[in-house]
Amino acid sequence: MTKNSSVLLSEFKNIINDKETNLYVLRNNNGVEAIFTDYGQRLISLFVPDRNGNMEDIVLGFNTLQEYIDSKEKYFGATIGRYGNRIAKGKFSIDGKSYQLATNNGENHLHGGDKGFNDVVWDVKKVTENEIEFKRVSPDMEEGYPGNLDVTVHYHLTDDNELEITYKATTDKATHVNLTHHSFFNLKGEGEGTINDHLLYINADRYTPVDEGLIPIGKLEMVEGTPFDFRKPKPIGQDLEVKNGQLTFGNGYDHNFVLGESPKNNKGLVLAAKVIEPTSGRIMEVYTDEPGLQFYGGNFLDGTIIGKKGKPYIFRGAFCLETQHFPDTPNNQNFPTTLLKPEEEYSSTCIYKFLVDKKP
């Protein structure tokens, strides 16, 4: 079934809320493999080559469906919705009507609520050797959100070693939507130590500072002269010990960056970020048409979760780069809007592209 992975299909066969779960493998002509389950649309494994052609699984996760269900880390590899990131106090208003969402992150709403898109079984509508499509209708008032939201997420593993994710959604009532992908990456391989020595570039002059609850305070601040300046590649861990209130609030990096408008690839998507892992030579580029990028440095990993190879997932043992609209946009009129109306279609694209630096 899969050339690289020890993950067994039998460990992902189950029935959840009367829906059967399954496992799906995408391959391209270069031997890159992406393995998904329809439970939360999770990316279970992603095997990409190093400079010597050795394939390694670079996303954190588990060998069994039950571990995903039971884990205190709910978001490994999942699609996040209806709203990726936080909404202050779980409240917003549309056309004068107030809505109360689940508050599952202290007093705030995080990643869709108590049972977000990561906790449901999706319908698989299309499977080819290198493409898969997931569909679901999120019913009106699920987790407090208005409108029946019809969602399609399409994954394409190209022969350019890109994992291209395309999100589409329509609604029958005005609602807020902010979908994203939540893989935890370590370009050395999952469970292979810290990511603090990975070199990170983020295409952003500004970021959205937060309060102690990691809710944006409504300002766009310049990164220049702060630990949030990744406009030239630097080790992720380089400035983590700098005395900075924002790093204290996030226990490290857990912030939204305001992306630049260029350079763009041949599909018109902006280069949002680039990560270089010097030891293996693996490089990951992130492209998107979203205005923001959440960079999370694995600050809540603590070594108690054991991954696919039996190795602990240590503090700052992974990073996430989530393309998105900004956190708490429904309560910030100066942020690019996340409001979706019945006559509109939500559309978002994210590409994770994998390259290799041949020089050791």
Side-chain angles (χ1 to χ4, degrees):
M1 180 179 159
T2 170
K3 297 176 184 176
N4 298 302
S5 177
S6 59
V7 172
L8 298 174
L9 172 61
S10 59
E11 294 292 350
F12 284 84
K13 286 274 196 182
N14 207 330
I15 304 290
I16 298 177
N17 294 331
D18 299 323
K19 294 177 75 78
E20 185 176 341
T21 61
N22 218 325
L23 209 60
Y24 305 88
V25 182
L26 305 187
R27 294 187 188 88
N28 70 6
N29 289 323
N30 306 319
V32 174
E33 286 188 349
I35 304 174
F36 292 88
T37 174
D38 40 21
Y39 175 65
Q41 279 186 50
R42 280 178 168 78
L43 179 61
I44 300 294
S45 293
L46 180 61
F47 287 89
V48 299
D50 67 7
R51 65 166 56 93
N52 298 314
N54 299 314
M55 293 289 183
E56 196 70 51
D57 186 358
I58 60 163
V59 296
L60 275 58
F62 302 112
N63 286 323
T64 69
L65 181 65
Q66 195 60 47
E67 287 174 287
Y68 282 100
I69 294 169
D70 294 341
S71 177
K72 65 180 180 180
E73 177 47 70
K74 297 176 60 175
Y75 305 115
F76 282 151
T79 286
I80 304 299
R82 291 187 189 191
Y83 200 99
N85 222 307
R86 292 169 175 84
I87 296 176
K89 296 183 173 58
K91 294 180 179 180
F92 59 72
S93 296
I94 300 175
D95 296 330
K97 183 175 180 179
S98 297
Y99 294 92
Q100 178 64 60
L101 310 176
T103 50
N104 60 322
N105 186 244
E107 65 178 5
N108 301 316
H109 177 83
L110 174 67
H111 289 341
D114 292 326
K115 188 177 181 181
F117 285 4
N118 56 291
D119 278 333
V120 296
V121 180
W122 290 71
D123 295 325
V124 178
K125 292 297 185 184
K126 176 184 177 185
V127 182
T128 66
E129 181 72 6
N130 64 344
E131 293 180 78
I132 189 168
E133 190 166 280
F134 295 94
K135 288 183 71 69
R136 178 176 185 262
V137 175
S138 172
D140 183 32
M141 298 311 294
E142 182 173 56
E143 296 296 311
Y145 289 92
N148 293 292
L149 189 75
D150 192 335
V151 182
T152 302
V153 187
H154 185 100
Y155 298 83
H156 182 199
L157 182 60
T158 75
D159 288 336
D160 291 326
N161 291 357
E162 298 170 330
L163 183 62
E164 181 176 17
I165 310 171
T166 306
Y167 307 87
K168 302 282 187 185
T170 56
T171 183
D172 58 3
K173 288 182 186 175
T175 192
H176 284 284
V177 186
N178 189 29
L179 306 181
T180 193
H181 178 79
H182 210 319
S183 276
F184 288 61
F185 295 98
N186 185 325
L187 299 186
K188 297 175 191 170
E190 57 95 15
E192 296 295 333
T194 180
I195 47 82
N196 282 345
D197 53 355
H198 288 47
L199 305 177
L200 174 63
Y201 159 81
I202 300 178
N203 180 12
D205 294 330
R206 297 173 297 168
Y207 77 108
T208 51
V210 295
D211 63 19
E212 292 184 55
L214 301 182
I215 298 292
I217 58 177
K219 297 179 181 177
L220 308 182
E221 289 195 356
M222 302 301 291
V223 300
E224 186 171 0
T226 78
F228 296 86
D229 192 348
F230 288 93
R231 293 174 297 173
K232 294 180 180 178
K234 68 180 181 184
I236 288 173
Q238 177 174 304
D239 295 329
L240 278 171
E241 301 306 317
V242 172
K243 193 171 182 180
N244 178 280
Q246 288 296 305
L247 291 179
T248 301
F249 290 160
N251 197 27
Y253 295 108
D254 193 1
H255 293 75
N256 170 69
F257 288 75
V258 181
L259 295 175
E261 296 181 1
S262 63
K264 294 182 178 180
N265 68 0
N266 58 6
K267 298 176 182 177
L269 302 175
V270 168
L271 173 63
K274 182 175 183 176
V275 187
I276 301 166
E277 201 292 288
T279 308
S280 66
R282 290 189 182 93
I283 298 171
M284 185 175 92
E285 295 176 342
V286 184
Y287 294 88
T288 189
D289 52 5
E290 289 281 352
L293 180 78
Q294 185 81 6
F295 166 46
Y296 167 61
N299 311 315
F300 298 107
L301 298 172
D302 60 7
T304 59
I305 295 174
I306 306 300
K308 286 168 279 189
K309 289 190 297 190
K311 296 185 177 182
Y313 290 158
I314 65 169
F315 182 54
R316 296 180 180 148
F319 65 89
C320 303
L321 292 170
E322 303 155 72
T323 60
Q324 61 173 21
H325 272 58
F326 305 166
D328 200 31
T329 285
N331 298 306
N332 283 277
Q333 292 185 347
N334 59 321
F335 289 177
T337 185
T338 54
L339 188 67
L340 179 68
K341 298 177 181 178
E343 65 272 16
E344 299 170 341
E345 181 183 57
Y346 172 91
S347 178
S348 176
T349 302
C350 170
I351 293 178
Y352 296 107
K353 182 172 184 175
F354 298 95
L355 307 153
V356 174
D357 179 3
K358 296 287 189 182
K359 298 176 184 178

